[in-house]
Amino acid sequence: MTRSIYEQALASQFDKLHPRIQERFGFSSKDQAASIGQGVMERIWFAKWAVLPLALGASRHIMFPQGGSHIPFTIENYAYQDKFGRETITWIRKFQFKRTIRHFDATMIYSEERRQIVDYLGNKQHLAVDLDITAASNGGIRIRSGDQRFYEGILQFTFPPQLTGIAEVMEWYDDELEKFRISVHVSNPMFGSVFHYEGSFEAQLISLNHIPLDAMPLRQEKRE
């Protein structure tokens, strides 16, 4: 039986999640389903000193140097097995600013070797990030990034901590609002806050027969 990558990572903690969070994070490729959501980011903020690295990341759908308030966005999570046979979940996020749509994409796998989830940021899977995932006291899911590795052709290396962005992610279900809430904060050990957004959204599981081509990464990386 194929379990979701989050069930594998959380083990017994998965039962502590809110039922709606379990639904959003509990499906796998065998279910032939996707979680499709839309909502509003109440605030998106970035550090002005980080414009250049964020602009470079934006070219590969990794964050972006743009901020604002009340920004509509969509989120698409598809489950499938990649060409290496690994259970995979997509994170396709689109932020609809007045004059442009910004993307923040990722694909996550559960690494048996590392015994944790590995997050490939961007649309070419050249940046692999270890994720520590726990159940929060409010029934939400908490994610904190760890070691980050760069893969491009024969080139591969682990970033020193001073050059990384540490991500703190919290997603939970608000029973009063009847919506999911999300908060993402990225910081650097030396320079402080880099990027932050928070908002709310509605999401539903839908059935599907195939994964849309534009939801797949342009390149799949075997190295974890």
Side-chain angles (χ1 to χ4, degrees), residues 39-46 64 66-73 95-99 196-200:
V40 174
M41 283 299 164
E42 297 160 8
R43 180 173 182 255
I44 302 177
W45 174 91
F46 70 98
F64 43 83
Q66 192 164 350
S69 58
H70 305 294
I71 307 298
F73 81 101
F95 303 85
Q96 301 168 24
F97 291 90
K98 288 183 178 180
R99 294 184 175 147
H196 172 70
Y197 62 75
E198 57 186 15
S200 62

Side-chain angles (χ1 to χ4, degrees), residues 124-178:
K124 293 188 177 180
Q125 293 195 342
H126 71 288
L127 187 60
V129 182
D130 294 338
L131 298 183
D132 177 47
I133 298 184
T134 56
S137 59
N138 65 355
I141 193 166
R142 180 180 288 113
I143 302 173
R144 180 181 171 87
S145 65
D147 289 347
Q148 301 178 16
R149 297 169 296 281
F150 183 84
Y151 300 130
E152 189 72 73
I154 62 172
L155 183 65
Q156 61 179 43
F157 61 85
T158 299
F159 284 96
Q162 297 85 351
L163 298 180
T164 61
I166 301 171
E168 298 271 3
V169 180
M170 181 71 178
E171 184 176 319
W172 69 102
Y173 189 76
D174 188 319
D175 285 301
E176 185 174 343
L177 288 178
E178 296 186 336

Side-chain angles (χ1 to χ4, degrees), residues 44-60:
I44 302 177
W45 174 91
F46 70 98
K48 297 300 187 288
W49 61 263
V51 167
L52 181 56
L54 288 175
L56 291 173
S59 66
R60 294 199 174 188

Side-chain angles (χ1 to χ4, degrees), residues 2-224:
T2 303
R3 294 190 300 161
S4 82
I5 63 173
Y6 306 103
E7 286 184 270
Q8 294 179 64
L10 285 166
S12 61
Q13 285 193 61
F14 190 81
D15 294 332
K16 298 179 181 179
L17 301 177
H18 187 286
R20 291 301 308 276
I21 296 293
Q22 288 188 31
E23 179 185 68
R24 240 183 75 69
F25 288 83
F27 67 96
S28 66
S29 59
K30 70 177 176 59
D31 297 305
Q32 294 187 308
S35 176
I36 306 298
Q38 60 181 3
V40 174
M41 283 299 164
E42 297 160 8
R43 180 173 182 255
I44 302 177
W45 174 91
F46 70 98
K48 297 300 187 288
W49 61 263
V51 167
L52 181 56
L54 288 175
L56 291 173
S59 66
R60 294 199 174 188
H61 293 187
I62 306 175
M63 298 186 289
F64 43 83
Q66 192 164 350
S69 58
H70 305 294
I71 307 298
F73 81 101
T74 59
I75 182 166
E76 303 172 25
N77 301 107
Y78 300 97
Y80 66 96
Q81 290 193 357
D82 70 7
K83 70 178 184 180
F84 305 113
R86 302 176 302 188
E87 189 69 20
T88 304
I89 295 286
T90 68
W91 287 80
I92 310 299
R93 290 156 286 203
K94 298 177 184 177
F95 303 85
Q96 301 168 24
F97 291 90
K98 288 183 178 180
R99 294 184 175 147
T100 187
I101 296 178
R102 294 291 195 175
H103 299 255
F104 185 7
D105 299 343
T107 42
M108 298 185 185
I109 65 154
Y110 181 78
S111 171
E112 294 287 351
E113 178 182 350
R114 296 181 179 275
R115 307 297 297 173
Q116 64 186 154
I117 287 178
V118 173
D119 187 10
Y120 291 106
L121 297 180
N123 57 8
K124 293 188 177 180
Q125 293 195 342
H126 71 288
L127 187 60
V129 182
D130 294 338
L131 298 183
D132 177 47
I133 298 184
T134 56
S137 59
N138 65 355
I141 193 166
R142 180 180 288 113
I143 302 173
R144 180 181 171 87
S145 65
D147 289 347
Q148 301 178 16
R149 297 169 296 281
F150 183 84
Y151 300 130
E152 189 72 73
I154 62 172
L155 183 65
Q156 61 179 43
F157 61 85
T158 299
F159 284 96
Q162 297 85 351
L163 298 180
T164 61
I166 301 171
E168 298 271 3
V169 180
M170 181 71 178
E171 184 176 319
W172 69 102
Y173 189 76
D174 188 319
D175 285 301
E176 185 174 343
L177 288 178
E178 296 186 336
K179 292 182 179 181
F180 294 93
R181 295 195 61 84
I182 179 78
S183 174
V184 175
H185 181 250
V186 180
S187 62
N188 176 270
M190 295 180 63
F191 300 106
S193 295
V194 178
F195 187 76
H196 172 70
Y197 62 75
E198 57 186 15
S200 62
F201 63 98
E202 297 176 326
Q204 299 294 332
L205 284 183
I206 64 168
S207 299
L208 76 164
N209 296 320
H210 65 278
I211 309 299
L213 287 178
D214 61 356
M216 304 287 283
L218 298 177
R219 178 175 71 90
Q220 296 184 41
E221 174 60 61
K222 184 176 183 180
R223 292 164 291 187
E224 301 173 3

